[in-house]
Amino acid sequence: MEVELKELLHDLESLNQSLHDPSHRASLDKLRLRIEHLTSMERSGPARRLKVKDMSAEVVDSNPYSRLMALQRMGIVENYERIRDFSVAIVGIGGVGSVAAEMLTRCGIGRLLLYDYDKVELANMNRLFFRPEQAGMTKTDAAVQTLSDINPDVVLESYTLNITTVQGFETFMSSLKNKSFRPSKEGIGVDLVLSCVDNYEARMAVNQACNELSQTWMESGVSEDAVSGHIQLLVPGETACFACAPPLVVASGVDERTLKREGVCAASLPTTMGVVAGLLVQNTLKFLLKFGNVSPYLGYNSLKDYFPTMEMKPNPQCSNVACLERQQEYILAKPARDAALKAKMEAESLSVEEGPLHADNEWSISVLDDNELNSMDATSSDALPEGLVRELPSADEPQRMVPPDAPLVSIDDLEELRRQLDALNST
Amino acid sequence: MEVELKELLHDLESLNQSLHDPSHRASLDKLRLRIEHLTSMERSGPARRLKVKDMSAEVVDSNPYSRLMALQRMGIVENYERIRDFSVAIVGIGGVGSVAAEMLTRCGIGRLLLYDYDKVELANMNRLFFRPEQAGMTKTDAAVQTLSDINPDVVLESYTLNITTVQGFETFMSSLKNKSFRPSKEGIGVDLVLSCVDNYEARMAVNQACNELSQTWMESGVSEDAVSGHIQLLVPGETACFACAPPLVVASGVDERTLKREGVCAASLPTTMGVVAGLLVQNTLKFLLKFGNVSPYLGYNSLKDYFPTMEMKPNPQCSNVACLERQQEYILAKPARDAALKAKMEAESLSVEEGPLHADNEWSISVLDDNELNSMDATSSDALPEGLVRELPSADEPQRMVPPDAPLVSIDDLEELRRQLDALNST
């Protein structure tokens, strides 16, 4: 709109120059002021967040990364800022993929590649992310619009295409290989591919691409009845690929979508899809930033709040040729893997001996050995910082009655202690 | 901006009338057209979704409820439309509460009551929901802005207050009691209270209110290191209240926030908070719409993808007087509860005998007994609908070689079968 207002001002100026009667000067000045006011209104519109050069750990309200950089201080992640180096491809920007993209964007991921051929519809509004006013836009365009507003630091690449077509698959492959974002990177141009599609054919296309490129990926899915889902890690050659254990019955030669009956659609819920997206991106962060245990498979049965886990080895009779090649490579590389693991373990045991585990002890945590603990009397252990009091579930017994060498808190019941610890840990 | 453009047009008209030289007509017409174009651009801005009178199950792209109403056809929920009758109060519109509010809004909940006293800051941008341009707005105002755009059918009530102050607590209590949304409702004016706060004092205020009002609520929390969380169901008198098993160390007489050290903040992640919000709202939907098992407690340890569950009985020595009163009532009501349960079970066993379990068999599922299955020959069982083929993990053995009374699919390995079934179930 700013362009249009500029043209309007220009036309007014031309009129001004063609008018020779000075009595109109005041009217024209008023018009000019009005247009200038409109222009400044347009400019001052919703304030956009500016780009941030470095991730700062400073604790101020204006720092969008303070709560993420705190993961370092808390000892969860060694170097959070590394997240800016990573490229993640998300295939399928639906109920799971769009939320995964938003989570990674808010985490400050370096680069996101988004693939979808579909358009936003009002029928998608029962899931998070897309807004009603985006109905009719392609999902990739709408996602870029929203994500670039949320975090302008993320490099967004949008591919409006169907990866199951010949042309779409070729563009998909070449976009994954493109290393211009970080030319020094080992392997191909992305660090992880996330599959968030809703059909078998598209999963097989992602599987094919990742097997050919030897690229680690994660698969996700939500059941047609909306109440269960799963995530799965696939490392070509090392774990089962998607073709190693295919479904028993699959569509062939026809579009899966036309198999669906008229007037019937799958159910979906923002809850199940939000949980699956959260578990998927959590696994992604653990994988990229090297913390916690990366889950090989995690299911979510929401009716029973049951979360099955398992591991799947590759199938030596897999029908996918590229998978068999990766399996062969993985077997051949075993001696090199073993040697690297041994060297790493030796280096780690050396570094533990050399320096302190945590150089800056922000929380003033000190380690006491059991003898010290036993020799502390109940009085000195009661000396909490000002403003803190102990609250015990059964406050009837005066605390001073605890004998000096009994445990600091007297509890009859182990179950009770577990409850209290859980409550303390998870608030 | 539309008003300003109208004034601009009006001024141009005045100028036109004061100009008597017809040679300027063309310039003025051009200016007028430009302003009219700007007005129509402004008007056609983001289109808002209109209110919908009834929830329709019609499968069309323009229906925002088709995927939710499909839960009925799938046999998950008996009457999804009942969701419009329910009122849910959310205390704390932060990383968990805002996402919970968005999920319930997209599910088409009847009415949401939102409580928070805080403002949106850029430091909140590492969690879902709030946008950078909302920095400086109160969280309640920003939430109402976003949620009313997403689903104008939801009645939103926003309370910008601190429930731990005397005045705030009074307003909180009276808003929960207000029954004008559904005067015929039993009990108080809300069906569930969700606690999504980040401190002990606010949790104790929610606990006090719900104990006094005998109101079921759900508590949620995320750890300071951002990698674990929990949800918990609290039914006054029936389960432990928040005071029944308090944390071992709590702040007293001082604001918890001032206890935090300068320059130190808690870590947070959109993943953990998204998962906790998803589990919380899933439990809410199960509770309100009566499907699946409502979890009494569900933990989430993201480093190990471990999800502990437990149940907590009330503490007969609880320090909360209202909790002890509810416990007494619950014990006294036992005979009535037992009688109601017995009557319900009798009614259910009667209705099972009377009619078919699923009247409309949309998926044409029929039950075969084992004898029928054994007498089917392999040829007829191979007759899949057009466009479907069987894909077996080991396609080497021709399928015709399976003897007629063997299982339909020949698999040596039970593990293999489990993998295939899982893959089939969860795509």
Side-chain angles (χ1 to χ4, degrees):
Chain A
M1 197 173 245
E2 221 177 306
V3 177
E4 285 82 0
L5 284 164
K6 205 171 171 183
E7 285 170 354
L8 186 63
L9 207 60
H10 179 259
D11 288 350
L12 190 71
E13 204 45 51
S14 311
L15 179 68
N16 186 25
Q17 281 166 12
S18 70
L19 289 174
H20 303 293
D21 182 351
S23 70
H24 299 306
R25 182 69 45 87
S27 302
L28 284 168
D29 281 349
K30 196 176 164 194
L31 280 169
R32 188 185 304 111
L33 278 174
R34 282 203 182 279
I35 297 169
E36 280 166 5
H37 175 64
L38 279 166
T39 308
S40 76
M41 271 177 77
E42 181 65 19
R43 278 194 192 141
S44 70
R48 294 203 54 186
R49 207 205 93 186
L50 298 174
K51 288 196 185 196
V52 175
K53 195 167 169 288
D54 295 303
M55 278 191 173
S56 150
E58 197 192 356
V59 181
V60 287
D61 288 342
S62 57
N63 178 5
Y65 296 120
S66 57
R67 267 60 168 174
L68 295 165
M69 293 297 282
L71 289 164
Q72 284 183 206
R73 201 180 36 243
M74 298 273 176
I76 302 294
V77 178
E78 201 177 307
N79 180 0
Y80 189 83
E81 248 183 301
R82 277 197 68 203
I83 201 161
R84 298 188 104 164
D85 291 340
F86 298 123
S87 294
V88 175
I90 304 183
V91 187
I93 312 299
V96 173
S98 64
V99 180
E102 180 171 348
M103 286 174 171
L104 285 169
T105 296
R106 291 185 182 265
C107 284
I109 193 85
R111 172 170 163 251
L112 279 183
L113 295 82
L114 309 173
Y115 305 82
D116 206 302
Y117 63 92
D118 216 0
K119 282 189 174 167
V120 179
E121 307 287 359
L122 282 184
N124 306 139
M125 292 306 135
N126 68 320
R127 282 148 278 177
L128 297 179
F129 192 74
F130 292 115
R131 300 188 305 268
E133 69 262 27
Q134 294 177 318
M137 289 175 79
T138 65
K139 287 185 176 175
T140 45
D141 283 351
V144 168
Q145 181 186 64
T146 301
L147 299 176
S148 59
D149 274 349
I150 289 173
N151 190 347
D153 299 332
V154 179
V155 175
L156 297 166
E157 288 177 25
S158 130
Y159 299 91
T160 312
L161 53 81
N162 182 346
I163 63 159
T164 67
T165 64
V166 174
Q167 177 65 52
F169 187 77
E170 271 174 28
T171 312
F172 178 48
M173 287 289 280
S174 63
S175 62
L176 293 178
K177 283 187 259 185
N178 183 347
K179 291 178 69 167
S180 55
F181 176 71
R182 201 155 59 97
S184 63
K185 185 187 172 302
E186 272 183 50
I188 63 166
V190 300
D191 297 277
L192 191 66
V193 176
L194 300 179
S195 167
C196 304
V197 300
D198 64 355
N199 65 86
Y200 174 80
E201 204 184 353
R203 281 186 177 89
M204 285 302 265
V206 176
N207 188 61
Q208 183 63 36
C210 291
N211 277 344
E212 285 184 25
L213 299 169
S214 197
Q215 175 57 50
T216 296
W217 60 293
M218 289 185 197
E219 136 73 3
S220 67
V222 172
S223 63
E224 287 221 327
D225 63 6
V227 286
S228 58
H230 74 278
I231 63 164
Q232 184 181 342
L233 173 74
L234 297 101
V235 186
E238 189 178 338
T239 70
C241 90
F242 196 71
C244 283
L248 286 170
V249 176
V250 295
S252 156
V254 291
D255 185 339
E256 281 174 82
R257 289 172 179 263
T258 63
L259 280 173
K260 290 182 182 167
R261 288 202 255 153
E262 192 67 34
V264 176
C265 66
S268 57
L269 280 167
T271 45
T272 311
M273 291 189 154
V275 169
V276 169
L279 298 175
L280 180 69
V281 177
Q282 197 84 288
N283 222 30
T284 297
L285 295 175
K286 291 192 285 182
F287 174 80
L288 295 175
L289 297 171
K290 303 193 190 309
F291 67 95
N293 302 329
V294 179
S295 281
Y297 178 99
L298 178 63
Y300 169 42
N301 172 327
S302 77
L303 295 183
K304 294 180 176 170
D305 280 333
Y306 169 60
F307 300 81
T309 55
M310 59 169 162
E311 290 196 46
M312 290 204 266
K313 293 239 180 307
N315 177 359
Q317 269 108 51
C318 180
S319 60
N320 187 292
V321 177
C323 173
L324 296 179
E325 286 170 10
R326 296 296 90 74
Q327 290 187 42
Q328 204 55 41
E329 285 168 11
Y330 186 75
I331 292 163
L332 291 174
K334 191 175 184 301
R337 255 194 327 275
D338 290 347
L341 188 69
K342 200 180 157 208
K344 196 185 161 215
M345 281 171 73
E346 280 170 4
E348 275 172 4
S349 70
L350 215 70
S351 74
V352 167
E353 283 162 26
E354 273 171 356
L357 196 58
H358 300 285
D360 53 340
N361 188 357
E362 291 250 21
W363 300 95
S364 308
I365 292 167
S366 58
V367 181
L368 296 179
D369 72 23
D370 286 353
N371 297 337
E372 279 184 76
L373 200 66
N374 287 337
S375 70
M376 282 166 78
D377 70 20
T379 316
S380 74
S381 73
D382 278 351
L384 287 171
E386 198 181 349
L388 289 183
V389 294
R390 269 176 218 287
E391 180 145 340
L392 289 171
S394 166
D396 301 331
E397 292 171 32
Q399 217 171 335
R400 301 287 160 197
M401 286 178 67
V402 179
D405 44 0
L408 297 184
V409 179
S410 151
I411 288 163
D412 311 328
D413 188 352
L414 255 179
E415 198 57 27
E416 188 71 22
L417 180 63
R418 192 170 64 90
R419 282 218 295 266
Q420 293 184 25
L421 279 174
D422 282 328
L424 189 67
N425 283 331
S426 56
T427 46
Chain B
M1 196 171 245
E2 222 176 308
V3 178
E4 285 82 2
L5 285 164
K6 206 170 169 184
E7 285 170 353
L8 186 64
L9 207 62
H10 178 261
D11 288 349
L12 190 71
E13 204 46 52
S14 310
L15 179 68
N16 186 25
Q17 281 166 13
S18 70
L19 290 174
H20 302 294
D21 182 352
S23 71
H24 300 304
R25 184 68 43 87
S27 302
L28 283 168
D29 280 350
K30 196 176 165 196
L31 281 169
R32 188 185 303 110
L33 278 174
R34 282 202 182 279
I35 298 170
E36 279 166 6
H37 175 63
L38 279 166
T39 308
S40 77
M41 269 177 77
E42 180 65 19
R43 277 196 192 137
S44 69
R48 294 205 54 186
R49 206 204 96 185
L50 298 174
K51 287 196 185 197
V52 174
K53 196 169 169 286
D54 296 303
M55 278 190 172
S56 150
E58 198 191 357
V59 180
V60 287
D61 287 341
S62 58
N63 178 5
Y65 296 118
S66 57
R67 266 60 167 175
L68 295 165
M69 294 297 281
L71 289 164
Q72 285 182 206
R73 200 180 40 242
M74 298 274 176
I76 302 291
V77 178
E78 202 177 306
N79 179 0
Y80 189 83
E81 247 183 302
R82 277 197 66 205
I83 201 160
R84 297 189 103 165
D85 292 340
F86 298 123
S87 294
V88 175
I90 304 183
V91 187
I93 312 301
V96 173
S98 63
V99 180
E102 180 171 348
M103 286 174 171
L104 285 168
T105 296
R106 291 187 182 264
C107 283
I109 193 85
R111 172 171 164 253
L112 278 184
L113 296 81
L114 309 174
Y115 305 83
D116 206 302
Y117 65 92
D118 216 0
K119 283 188 174 167
V120 179
E121 308 285 358
L122 281 184
N124 306 137
M125 292 308 135
N126 68 319
R127 282 147 276 178
L128 298 179
F129 193 73
F130 292 115
R131 300 188 305 269
E133 69 262 28
Q134 294 177 317
M137 290 176 78
T138 65
K139 287 185 175 174
T140 45
D141 283 351
V144 167
Q145 181 188 62
T146 301
L147 299 175
S148 60
D149 274 349
I150 289 172
N151 190 345
D153 298 333
V154 178
V155 175
L156 296 166
E157 288 177 24
S158 129
Y159 298 91
T160 312
L161 52 80
N162 182 345
I163 63 158
T164 66
T165 64
V166 174
Q167 177 63 52
F169 187 77
E170 271 174 27
T171 313
F172 178 48
M173 287 288 281
S174 63
S175 63
L176 294 178
K177 283 188 258 185
N178 182 350
K179 290 178 69 166
S180 56
F181 177 72
R182 201 156 57 99
S184 64
K185 183 187 172 304
E186 272 182 51
I188 64 167
V190 300
D191 297 277
L192 191 66
V193 176
L194 300 180
S195 167
C196 305
V197 298
D198 63 356
N199 65 86
Y200 175 80
E201 203 184 354
R203 282 186 177 90
M204 285 302 265
V206 176
N207 188 60
Q208 183 62 35
C210 291
N211 276 345
E212 284 183 26
L213 299 168
S214 198
Q215 174 58 51
T216 296
W217 62 292
M218 289 184 197
E219 137 72 4
S220 67
V222 172
S223 63
E224 287 222 327
D225 64 5
V227 287
S228 59
H230 74 278
I231 63 164
Q232 183 181 344
L233 173 73
L234 297 101
V235 187
E238 190 178 337
T239 70
C241 90
F242 196 72
C244 283
L248 285 171
V249 177
V250 295
S252 155
V254 291
D255 186 338
E256 283 175 81
R257 289 172 181 262
T258 63
L259 280 173
K260 291 181 181 166
R261 288 202 254 155
E262 193 64 35
V264 176
C265 66
S268 58
L269 281 167
T271 45
T272 311
M273 290 190 155
V275 169
V276 169
L279 297 175
L280 180 69
V281 176
Q282 198 83 289
N283 222 30
T284 297
L285 294 175
K286 291 193 284 184
F287 173 80
L288 295 175
L289 298 171
K290 301 190 192 308
F291 67 96
N293 301 330
V294 180
S295 281
Y297 178 98
L298 179 62
Y300 168 43
N301 172 328
S302 77
L303 295 184
K304 295 181 175 170
D305 280 334
Y306 169 60
F307 300 81
T309 55
M310 58 168 163
E311 291 197 47
M312 290 204 267
K313 294 240 181 307
N315 176 0
Q317 269 107 50
C318 180
S319 61
N320 187 292
V321 177
C323 173
L324 295 180
E325 285 170 11
R326 296 296 89 73
Q327 289 188 41
Q328 204 53 41
E329 284 168 14
Y330 185 75
I331 292 164
L332 291 173
K334 190 174 186 300
R337 253 192 331 272
D338 290 347
L341 188 70
K342 199 180 159 205
K344 197 185 160 215
M345 282 170 72
E346 280 172 4
E348 274 172 5
S349 71
L350 216 70
S351 75
V352 167
E353 283 162 24
E354 274 171 357
L357 196 58
H358 300 285
D360 53 341
N361 188 357
E362 291 249 19
W363 300 94
S364 308
I365 293 166
S366 57
V367 180
L368 297 178
D369 73 22
D370 285 353
N371 297 337
E372 277 184 77
L373 200 67
N374 288 337
S375 70
M376 283 167 77
D377 71 21
T379 315
S380 75
S381 74
D382 277 351
L384 285 172
E386 198 181 347
L388 289 182
V389 294
R390 270 177 218 285
E391 177 145 341
L392 289 173
S394 166
D396 301 330
E397 294 170 31
Q399 216 171 336
R400 300 289 158 196
M401 286 178 66
V402 180
D405 46 359
L408 296 185
V409 180
S410 153
I411 289 164
D412 311 328
D413 187 352
L414 255 179
E415 199 57 27
E416 190 71 22
L417 180 62
R418 193 169 65 88
R419 284 217 293 266
Q420 293 185 25
L421 280 173
D422 281 332
L424 190 66
N425 283 331
S426 56
T427 45

